[in-house]
Amino acid sequence: MPRWSRSYALWIAALAPLFVLIGVLVFAAFEGARRDVEVVSAQRATEVASLVDASAVSELKLAQVLASSAPLAREDMAEAYRRAAEVMALSGNWRTVVLSDPARGIEVFDLRRPLDGGPRPMADYIAAAAPGLAGPTMSDITRDRLGVYVLPLHVPVVTDRGRRYLLTVELDTAAIQALVTTRAPPGSVVAVVDRSGNFIARNVAYESRVGRPATRYVRDAIAGGRRGLYPGVTYEGFKNYTAFDTGQRTGWSAHVAVASYLVDTPRRMSLAILGVVAVACLGASGGLALVAVRRMRSRRQEEARLHQSQKMEAVGQLTGGIAHDFNNLLTAIIGGLELSLKRAAPGDPSRRYLEGALDAAARGAKLTSRLLAFSRTQRLARERVDVQAVMWGMTDLLEQSLGPRIAMSIDVAEDARWVVTDQNQLELALLNLAVNARDAMPEGGRLELSTRRTPAKGRSSHDRVEIVVADTGQGMTREVAARAFDPFFTTKEVNRGTGLGLAQVYAMARQSDGEAVIESVPGQGTRVRLRLPAAPPPLAGPDDVNARKDAVTASLRRDRRLMVVDDDAGVRGVLVDELRLLGFQVTEAASGAEALAMLERDAPDLMIVDFLMPGLTGADVAVRARELRPGQRIMFVSGHMDNAALDAAAQGAVVLRKPFVVAELAETVGRALDDAEAPQTAPSA
Ligand code: ADP
Ligand code: MG
């Protein structure tokens, strides 16, 4: 994950609570605004509904007072007519008062007419309401005899003589209309409708709407409940939210409609803000989750690497220990076999067995040296190595190993040519990789060796050179790739694979402070990357090193006296015999103490000392020997040892590694003696 996006995600995550807080506050503000609109209109609706109800009820009460007045009870109609006119004047909201005689179907009087105007039939709207009328009743809006919309209040009257009349008060809708217009909030439409859904009053277009049915939104709302909020559109096309409430006695409802944007806009805004906050939170938590996942993955990779190197360490120690013991055994075996061969007569049939055994022992020696290659016990040089020279120097060997069906190419970048490592180990690693590539390409293919420079990255502060060995072979599955570096892991038949090739490659890279990585897909080839520390190019030409190596054509001076110090009788015996066969004069000591005692009497030209001995170690012997005889030449024989200790004790001394063949022994001793001839620069301990 790139750095910028990680810090971006972290910033979002850090700011997320702030976003949420702001979002919630703004949301709350908009919600509040919306609620305010809703609550205010609901309150207004309730207020209008109860005012309408109260005024209707007070008119009804007044009508009841009139209905129970004495003149009516006495059936003194002239007096009753006068009283009715008085009460009507008192109310101010009545259009007229009508007294009917339902039993006879006639009108007794109507305040709009003189009392002696003569009898006439009951008005239709009264006749319709009369049957079943039990008490004072408020009717819905209706047209009266003159075709005017009125609100009739009917009150039954029973006289002292038991006769039944019906008193009807025509309430003027203007009374309700006044309430509505004075209570309407600005910008709103307020209406009162009766139980059938017809307009009683309306603050807009009252004249044309009164007595007519309200919109279906209104009628649906009152059919559904006594109060609430509903969206609708008025006859004028005004999109609105309407709050309504219903009066207790009248059953008439008041409706207060506000423009829907007053409700919708805050609602939309708050929803939008909720959405933005949710998206921001999702983004932040997604970003965090991504960071967490990447962290976890890289930690797991680190753990895997640690685990791998711990495993290698453990296996390295184990195999190192085993290899040490094997080295001693093999040294004795090889030496013994070589001596026996020398003694066997040319025609002796046992020569064949001896040669076979020597061959097998030599193979064993090779194997132990490979075991040591990835156990830490082998000393790795840290020298400037010219990868280009190494690769070109190996082309013959590599081409031989690869066979004719595999094409090889080498591409070394000029800025990726010098590394710090052990040249021998690097050569061995390249050979191992080439052999693996050959095994993976039985039908032939291509092997590419290349290098490139990679800049310092992560914890390492040094540039790296990446050596890439890529083949076009069968590749590896994930499982195989995961275990390929393990020592002894092989997928090959018993006699073909040792499982030590990649283990050596891995150990070489690690011990050079580098790393080795496998990239492989089944069927698509394999790419092994060796990342090694880059070395600065040398100032002068590197060729004098090789010149010196060639100069070590030691002309052995066989009259020299040597002392062999080794606690292992087998190894010592072989060494002594071989050196004597080479023509040296040899004395032997079975321990450090014995060697020092001998040294006091006589100094040999060279002491050949086993490094690991019980009691006085090779290092101890070297120190004491140089105390006794400053400038004493010492050569170490070593199979398994601590590099630091060896370095400290060696002081430039030559080291012979077990197991060895006679030629190696001769060459090393020759070199040690050759060195002894030159003036010594290292100070004596
Ligand atoms: P060996 O070659 O003796 O089996 P190595 O340690 O060299 O041991 O390799 C271990 C295993 O890794 C091999 O057995 C093989 O399965 C796999 N392997 C190594 N290199 C390659 C490659 N270039 N292509 C395919 N598989 C490989
Ligand atoms: Mg191999």
Side-chain angles (χ1 to χ4, degrees), residues 15-85:
L15 290 177
L18 195 63
F19 288 161
V20 171
L21 185 67
I22 293 174
V24 165
L25 286 180
V26 177
F27 176 79
F30 279 118
E31 273 299 292
R34 183 179 69 78
R35 283 228 67 91
D36 281 356
V37 171
E38 286 178 10
V39 166
V40 165
S41 21
Q43 279 172 351
R44 197 52 62 94
T46 304
E47 184 185 332
V48 173
S50 50
L51 278 174
V52 168
D53 213 45
S55 97
V57 166
S58 75
E59 303 296 351
L60 193 63
K61 289 227 170 91
L62 211 53
Q64 268 178 292
V65 169
L66 182 59
S68 52
S69 65
L72 260 181
R74 298 196 301 269
E75 294 178 55
D76 178 352
M77 292 308 171
E79 188 55 28
Y81 182 95
R82 266 207 357 263
R83 180 68 57 88

Side-chain angles (χ1 to χ4, degrees), residues 642-682:
D642 180 48
N643 292 331
L646 178 61
D647 282 340
Q651 299 234 347
V654 174
V655 178
L656 175 66
R657 293 197 181 272
K658 285 190 273 189
F660 48 80
V661 293
V662 177
E664 283 172 315
L665 175 65
E667 194 266 345
T668 315
V669 170
R671 197 143 45 86
L673 286 168
D674 197 44
D675 274 5
E677 228 103 283
Q680 198 181 31
T681 47

Side-chain angles (χ1 to χ4, degrees), residues 40 147 176 215 218 229 250 271 302 325 372 452 553 586 668 685:
V40 165
I176 310 294
T215 60
V218 176
L229 184 78
T250 54
L271 282 180
E302 223 153 79
D325 289 343
L372 283 169
R452 61 186 198 107
T553 45
V586 188
T668 315

Side-chain angles (χ1 to χ4, degrees), residues 595-619:
L596 291 172
M598 286 163 64
L599 191 64
E600 276 187 45
R601 295 195 294 273
D602 184 23
D605 293 302
L606 178 66
M607 287 176 81
I608 300 173
V609 185
D610 184 29
F611 194 76
L612 261 194
M613 287 187 294
L616 288 178
T617 66

Side-chain angles (χ1 to χ4, degrees), residues 432-433 436-437 439-440 471 473-476 480 483-486 489-492 496-503 520 525-526 528:
N432 279 326
L433 292 172
N436 281 350
D439 292 346
D471 65 49
Q474 65 206 19
M476 292 175 237
V480 170
R483 299 190 53 196
F485 283 132
D486 289 4
F489 174 81
T490 179
T491 58
K492 297 170 189 171
R496 290 209 54 201
T498 58
L500 289 175
L502 286 179
S520 185
T526 299
V528 179

Side-chain angles (χ1 to χ4, degrees), residues 174-232:
I176 310 294
Q177 178 66 18
L179 278 177
V180 165
T181 46
T182 55
R183 300 287 152 173
S188 65
V189 175
V190 179
V192 175
V193 300
D194 66 16
R195 286 165 293 207
S196 325
N198 295 322
F199 284 116
I200 293 172
R202 197 166 186 262
N203 70 333
V204 180
Y206 163 63
E207 302 299 340
S208 58
R209 292 290 161 205
V210 73
R212 314 271 160 78
T215 60
R216 64 178 172 85
Y217 306 106
V218 176
R219 283 177 285 124
D220 288 350
I222 59 178
R226 295 186 69 81
R227 65 184 59 83
L229 184 78
Y230 60 91

Side-chain angles (χ1 to χ4, degrees), residues 74-148:
R74 298 196 301 269
E75 294 178 55
D76 178 352
M77 292 308 171
E79 188 55 28
Y81 182 95
R82 266 207 357 263
R83 180 68 57 88
E86 279 170 20
V87 176
M88 186 168 98
L90 207 65
S91 157
N93 291 327
W94 296 2
R95 292 183 67 90
T96 186
V97 178
V98 179
L99 187 71
S100 316
D101 182 348
R104 287 189 287 161
I106 56 158
E107 182 183 285
V108 179
F109 64 73
D110 179 345
L111 290 189
R112 281 176 297 204
R113 295 203 300 155
L115 184 61
D116 52 2
R120 63 174 177 181
M122 276 170 72
D124 293 342
Y125 74 95
I126 297 177
L133 205 69
T137 303
M138 234 160 324
S139 295
D140 281 348
I141 193 164
T142 184
R143 281 177 196 269
D144 69 0
R145 198 186 281 278
L146 304 178
V148 176

